[in-house]
Amino acid sequence: MKRLHALPIRHKLMALLLASNLITMVAALVGFLVVEVRGHEKDARADLACLAATIDVNASVPVVFDDASGARGVLAALALKPEATAAALYRADGSLLAAYGGPVPESAPPLGTWVDGRRLMLAKAQMRGGGVVFVERSLPAWPVLARSYLGLVLFVWIPALLVGAALSSRLQAVISRPLLALAASVDDIARRGGYELTAAVRAEQPRGDEIGVLTRAFGQLLGQLQERDKAIASQRGTLETMVIDRTRDLVNLNRELQLAKEKAEESSRLKSEFLANMSHEIRTPMNGILGMTELVLDTPLSSEQQEYVSTVKGSADSLLSIINDILDFSKIEAGKLTLDSVSFSPRQTIAEMIRPLALRAHQKAVELLVDIDPAVPEEVVGDPGRLRQTLVNLVGNALKFTERGEVSLTVSAVESKADTVRLRFQVSDTGIGISKDKQQLIFAAFTQADGSTTRRYGGTGLGLAISRQLVRLMDGEIHLESEPGRGSCFSFTARFSAAPPASGAPQRDCGLEGAEVLVVDDNAANRRIVEKYLAQCGAVARLAPGADEALRMLAEGPRPAAVITDLLMPDRDGLSLVAALRENPAWRDLPVLVLSSASGPMDRRALLALSISRFLNKPVTPAELHRALRAALREPPPKPAAQAERLATPAHNESGETGRLLAAPSSYANEPDWGPGDEAAPGSGMPLVLVAEDNPVNLRVAQRLLEKRGYRVITAGDGQQALEKWEVTRPDLILMDLQMPVLDGLAATAEIRSRERTGGGHTPIVALTANAMIGDRERCLSSGMDGYVAKPIDMDKLLSAIEDALARHPPECFSAIPGLAV
Ligand code: ADP
């Protein structure tokens, strides 16, 4: 079969034809043979019956007369019939009368016709004579018949086959030739490529059969492939041109980018250099300003001079801190900032950095909590200055963005090895929080969560960028979790080297073991911190969340060794608790320590009368608390008279530590109230100027400068307030800052102008702003303002802008404007 498959189609067709021819012939031959044999047998029977009848008639006389020789003579006639091989005649009694040919039965056989091998036999009763006739003849043999047929077949079939083969060879060429040509064409296409059919295929006459369909379809297919190839080739050409073009563009772009990058790097380096130089150059005179201001503040001054110079110092301080930030940032950018490596006490560093912040916390009535884990080592080696800077920035921010609630700084040791220690610092607040989309941005330099012109909080946006770099230098990472409206939590870890062990065993014996102390504070976190600090010394804390609970616990429980109470509590404050204690003779001499973030103004006499042992500013360090408590337990509660002396100067206890005994309120308590709305007493007939400015110092400066020139001044802290005050007082002129919270200067001006359009009048508005970029003046004037003065204030320019505006829009009634000729 396999070989058949491998044959060329021409041979296959030929083989098919011959095979079918042969099968037909053989089938015909067999059919003929069968029919012939049947016909011969039938003829033989008829012939035998005829012979028997002839012998019967001719032999009736010899049989009747028992004439054997006559009978033999009749039978001898059979010699003319070679097929008759034997015959016999029997008498009526069945005995043999005469025989002819081959062996015959001895007595008359049963009547009938039968076949024995290739012999046909017949026995018949005589019609007359009463004997029996027996005849036998041979039947023609198969092979003989077959041979005669085979000869015939060979004689007829072979020529017929040859003729058929010749014909089929011609016929099959009709089918196989186009197929072969097609196959050759496909082979040719496969080998050479291209889509041209060979000449043999093309020369074929178009035909209507399946081969014609196949050839046509193949031709069409080739045509389509050729079209497609052409399209692809043309597209490839276009693509190649495009790729060449793009590559050229990209190469050019890359070159430009490289140049731009080099330029940018160069200008960034120059910028950093410039910033560093400038910051230095500015810092030097700043130091002079600050130092000289301090010197002036130490000389006898009138209260007004004192106030002005303090203001100068405050402004110079903030300027210096901004310059410091910029200097740090440029140093970090230039990769020039390196950390110190000195031995320092984290607790001491935190106590020092937190103190000035505690003042700010108190001013805002925000709780400032510090919780340092006892596992934090007393000494580590690192850069205390940079750690302080990072913490001041985080805690400072937390205070800046928290209006109520608490700000806490927690320090813990997260990893302690033989030579290194990793500390974790966490600053949490309950302030405004930071939205998710701003949380990563604020770590970028000069970025603030609120970048609008109506932002409430000042700042450069550099603090966190610097902190993050500093933390990285300390081998840590800063993280932020925050939810707007709920607060923020900044945390970072920093690695320090372990300090060499101090000589001598650490002093663990505090002298407070077993002392029971009642701790009263409305803030749960604060209570826990004090409890922990007490436990570090073996003292036992009983905690009361308020003054009333404390009094109840005192009445019901055993007398404690001392009471530590918070000063500011919601229902009943610390002083009222101490007053209640002192009223009861049993508790009159109970040592009381007052903890407060309120180091501000207090009624000294009230404090005196209450015999308070120690007054500690929050947050306290464990050492401060231990020392103060130890001293309070050792000495009897101070008598009012004794306290009076101590009040004059800050007290120093046995170790010279900073815990103060009713320390004199710091100078900030006497600071003027910068709040908006402190209106000047109206001078007679002078124009009334409304100054809208959100920075209290600038507000004060502008107010005082104008008042000195005789103007009456009212103030507003933001655009909204300015609008409200304008509505009520209708000032003669407004000095309007541009960047203010709630409503900025431009929006406030637009609102005033729109109200004037319906209500009439025109209040001149002069912009007073630090935005001194190109286009700002035009923006102010086009929004309805009448003048523009850039900060810092140049008095001459300000006055001439005011006078100009008033000359163009004179107030309805005023008697005199200094320097203005009406
Ligand atoms: P600055 O405070 O000088 O603007 P920072 O880099 O310290 O710059 O802070 C960037 C910004 O991150 C702040 O302007 C403020 O929008 C946001 N931010 C920082 N700390 C807090 C905080 N504790 N709560 C809410 N916002 C904060």
Side-chain angles (χ1 to χ4, degrees):
M1 205 60 180
K2 260 190 194 163
R3 291 178 66 185
L4 185 70
H5 278 302
L7 283 179
I9 198 162
R10 205 151 49 90
H11 295 170
K12 268 187 215 149
L13 280 173
M14 191 74 113
L16 261 175
L17 279 171
L18 287 178
S20 63
N21 226 333
L22 187 65
I23 290 164
T24 316
M25 271 302 174
V26 170
L29 185 61
V30 171
F32 279 139
L33 267 177
V34 170
V35 170
E36 192 68 6
V37 168
R38 289 253 173 90
H40 270 286
E41 202 174 299
K42 209 170 148 193
D43 288 350
R45 278 177 191 268
D47 189 39
L48 204 59
C50 186
L51 272 178
T54 310
I55 292 168
D56 178 18
V57 172
N58 292 331
S60 55
V61 176
V63 171
V64 171
F65 295 103
D66 198 24
D67 178 6
S69 69
R72 270 195 294 273
V74 172
L75 291 177
L78 286 175
L80 294 172
K81 201 112 172 120
E83 304 85 48
T85 50
L89 284 169
Y90 299 88
R91 296 178 191 92
D93 60 358
S95 59
L96 181 64
L97 178 65
Y100 168 80
V104 294
E106 286 300 317
S107 56
L111 301 181
T113 308
W114 69 96
V115 176
D116 178 10
R118 291 309 308 156
R119 291 175 301 147
L120 181 66
M121 284 169 266
L122 184 144
K124 167 182 187 306
Q126 271 193 310
M127 288 198 300
R128 265 170 277 157
V132 171
V133 180
F134 168 77
V135 195
E136 178 197 290
R137 66 156 292 166
S138 63
L139 283 171
W142 272 100
V144 179
L145 275 175
R147 227 175 289 128
S148 66
Y149 269 97
L150 197 61
L152 181 74
V153 162
L154 287 178
F155 182 72
V156 177
W157 183 60
I158 288 181
L161 192 69
L162 290 175
V163 172
L167 270 176
S168 73
S169 145
R170 276 191 69 80
L171 271 176
Q172 58 86 24
V174 176
I175 297 168
S176 65
R177 199 188 53 243
L179 282 178
L180 289 173
L182 205 55
S185 191
V186 171
D187 185 47
D188 184 61
I189 288 167
R191 269 189 295 107
R192 284 193 300 108
Y195 298 98
E196 282 295 309
L197 286 172
T198 50
V201 179
R202 275 182 278 124
E204 282 292 326
Q205 288 294 319
R207 26 195 303 167
D209 62 0
E210 289 87 341
I211 294 173
V213 172
L214 181 66
T215 314
R216 270 198 305 282
F218 189 64
Q220 281 168 1
L221 191 69
L222 286 178
Q224 284 174 5
L225 282 175
Q226 197 168 15
E227 286 301 313
R228 211 161 290 174
D229 244 23
K230 270 189 203 153
I232 289 173
S234 92
Q235 270 189 0
R236 196 176 51 213
T238 325
L239 274 177
E240 272 167 10
T241 343
M242 273 168 74
V243 168
I244 291 169
D245 287 354
R246 290 282 147 83
T247 316
R248 198 180 39 241
D249 289 353
L250 275 177
V251 169
N252 289 342
L253 199 67
N254 260 350
R255 202 174 305 129
E256 280 167 23
L257 280 176
Q258 182 66 27
L259 284 175
K261 182 176 156 264
E262 279 163 16
K263 256 192 199 163
E265 279 170 358
E266 175 64 7
S267 58
S268 152
R269 198 184 58 75
L270 287 175
K271 187 195 82 185
S272 295
E273 233 169 56
F274 170 76
L275 276 177
N277 289 341
M278 282 308 291
S279 299
H280 261 309
E281 293 307 309
I282 297 168
R283 266 172 64 127
T284 320
M286 278 304 300
N287 278 339
I289 295 171
L290 282 166
M292 294 309 289
T293 325
E294 294 268 14
L295 286 176
V296 175
L297 278 172
D298 275 353
T299 58
L301 296 171
S302 71
S303 67
E304 192 180 12
Q305 285 168 329
Q306 175 90 28
E307 184 190 326
Y308 292 165
V309 179
S310 300
T311 309
V312 170
K313 190 172 174 302
S315 300
D317 276 337
S318 5
L319 183 55
L320 189 62
S321 90
I322 293 172
I323 293 163
N324 281 341
D325 272 1
I326 294 174
L327 179 63
D328 276 348
F329 187 71
S330 58
K331 260 192 188 170
I332 290 172
E333 266 204 330
K336 285 187 185 147
L337 193 121
T338 47
L339 294 188
D340 260 2
S341 187
V342 295
S343 181
F344 72 98
S345 154
R347 285 188 174 77
Q348 188 62 32
T349 306
I350 289 169
E352 284 165 12
M353 56 93 13
I354 213 80
R355 205 152 279 131
L357 294 168
L359 277 180
R360 266 162 64 189
H362 164 66
Q363 281 171 324
K364 297 183 83 172
V366 169
E367 281 285 348
L368 178 58
L369 314 170
V370 177
D371 184 2
I372 303 177
D373 194 272
V376 172
E378 286 305 326
E379 291 273 317
V380 293
V381 176
D383 191 331
R386 294 304 179 182
L387 176 64
R388 184 185 301 123
Q389 184 181 357
T390 310
L391 289 174
V392 165
N393 180 45
L394 295 184
V395 178
N397 273 350
L399 285 173
K400 181 156 79 173
F401 296 105
T402 303
E403 293 306 330
R404 71 180 74 83
E406 62 190 43
V407 169
S408 72
L409 165 63
T410 319
V411 190
S412 54
V414 284
E415 185 187 292
S416 203
K417 293 190 182 153
D419 52 348
T420 59
V421 51
R422 188 174 283 279
L423 301 185
R424 182 166 187 277
F425 301 83
Q426 181 175 313
V427 179
S428 314
D429 64 54
T430 53
I432 59 171
I434 303 161
S435 63
K436 273 261 166 310
D437 55 325
K438 294 280 161 54
Q439 289 185 10
Q440 276 315 307
L441 296 182
I442 55 166
F443 287 103
F446 307 108
T447 313
Q448 298 180 318
D450 179 4
S452 67
T453 50
T454 54
R455 67 192 165 90
R456 284 183 65 185
Y457 306 97
T460 55
L462 272 180
L464 286 179
I466 293 171
S467 297
R468 178 156 77 169
Q469 297 296 344
L470 291 179
V471 168
R472 281 188 181 155
L473 286 173
M474 290 188 267
D475 192 25
E477 204 48 63
I478 196 161
H479 296 286
L480 163 64
E481 279 171 32
S482 182
E483 206 180 308
R486 305 283 303 268
S488 311
C489 174
F490 287 86
S491 62
F492 68 92
T493 59
R495 194 167 54 85
F496 300 95
S497 302
S503 52
Q507 178 63 42
R508 274 273 158 245
D509 184 8
C510 312
L512 294 171
E513 289 75 13
E516 210 168 275
V517 180
L518 179 63
V519 178
V520 193
D521 199 318
D522 58 308
N523 184 298
N526 235 347
R527 287 199 299 274
R528 261 201 327 278
I529 292 171
V530 174
E531 182 185 22
K532 209 155 75 181
Y533 286 0
L534 291 175
Q536 283 171 24
C537 255
V540 184
R542 282 161 58 201
L543 307 179
D548 291 335
E549 287 84 347
L551 287 171
R552 201 169 30 251
M553 284 166 80
L554 280 170
E556 288 168 5
R559 182 189 145 104
V563 173
I564 299 178
T565 179
D566 186 26
L567 182 65
L568 296 177
M569 289 186 288
D571 293 332
R572 195 165 176 183
D573 68 15
L575 293 186
S576 126
L577 168 66
V578 187
L581 288 181
R582 298 307 182 219
E583 273 166 21
N584 187 327
W587 301 325
R588 195 159 288 157
D589 59 344
L590 196 57
V592 175
L593 274 72
V594 173
L595 279 184
S596 174
S597 39
S599 55
M602 260 181 289
D603 184 346
R604 296 184 192 188
R605 268 162 309 179
L607 297 179
L608 275 175
L610 295 173
S611 301
I612 290 167
S613 303
R614 286 288 185 280
F615 188 88
L616 294 168
N617 276 331
K618 280 199 281 187
V620 280
T621 63
E624 280 171 1
L625 186 74
H626 298 158
R627 277 195 289 267
L629 189 59
R630 223 172 14 240
L633 290 181
R634 217 169 28 229
E635 17 174 282
K639 298 277 172 301
Q643 267 185 331
E645 284 163 31
R646 297 189 194 183
L647 276 170
T649 49
H652 291 274
N653 60 20
E654 82 264 36
S655 56
E657 48 92 9
T658 50
R660 284 173 295 166
L661 178 66
L662 290 180
S666 60
S667 62
Y668 86 96
N670 302 327
E671 274 181 32
D673 176 10
W674 297 123
D678 48 337
E679 291 170 20
S684 56
M686 288 303 290
L688 180 64
V689 178
L690 167 61
V691 183
E693 161 75 71
D694 64 329
N695 181 304
V697 175
N698 287 344
L699 185 67
R700 190 66 159 179
V701 169
Q703 180 182 8
R704 284 291 148 89
L705 287 175
L706 289 173
E707 280 173 354
K708 282 206 172 259
R709 296 298 190 283
Y711 288 95
R712 294 176 298 144
V713 179
I714 53 172
T715 58
D718 59 51
Q720 185 59 38
Q721 277 185 23
L723 199 60
E724 285 158 12
K725 291 208 173 178
W726 169 80
E727 198 62 89
V728 178
T729 57
R730 293 293 166 152
D732 299 314
L733 181 135
I734 303 176
L735 267 187
M736 182 82 85
D737 187 14
L738 286 197
Q739 194 168 302
M740 288 187 290
V742 190
L743 194 66
D744 68 26
L746 291 177
T749 304
E751 184 57 34
I752 289 172
R753 293 294 176 242
S754 120
R755 291 188 192 178
E756 282 172 347
R757 271 195 288 281
T758 47
H762 180 99
T763 308
I765 301 177
V766 174
L768 184 61
T769 171
N771 292 24
M773 306 301 283
I774 299 165
D776 281 341
R777 172 187 292 274
E778 287 66 29
R779 214 147 52 89
C780 291
L781 299 182
S782 67
S783 75
M785 293 183 168
D786 301 273
Y788 173 95
V789 180
K791 284 185 207 162
I793 300 174
D794 175 328
M795 201 53 209
D796 289 341
K797 283 186 185 158
L798 175 67
L799 286 177
S800 74
I802 291 176
E803 285 160 9
D804 255 23
L806 285 175
R808 277 184 280 131
H809 304 280
E812 272 158 26
C813 61
F814 62 91
S815 53
I817 298 173
L820 175 67
V822 186

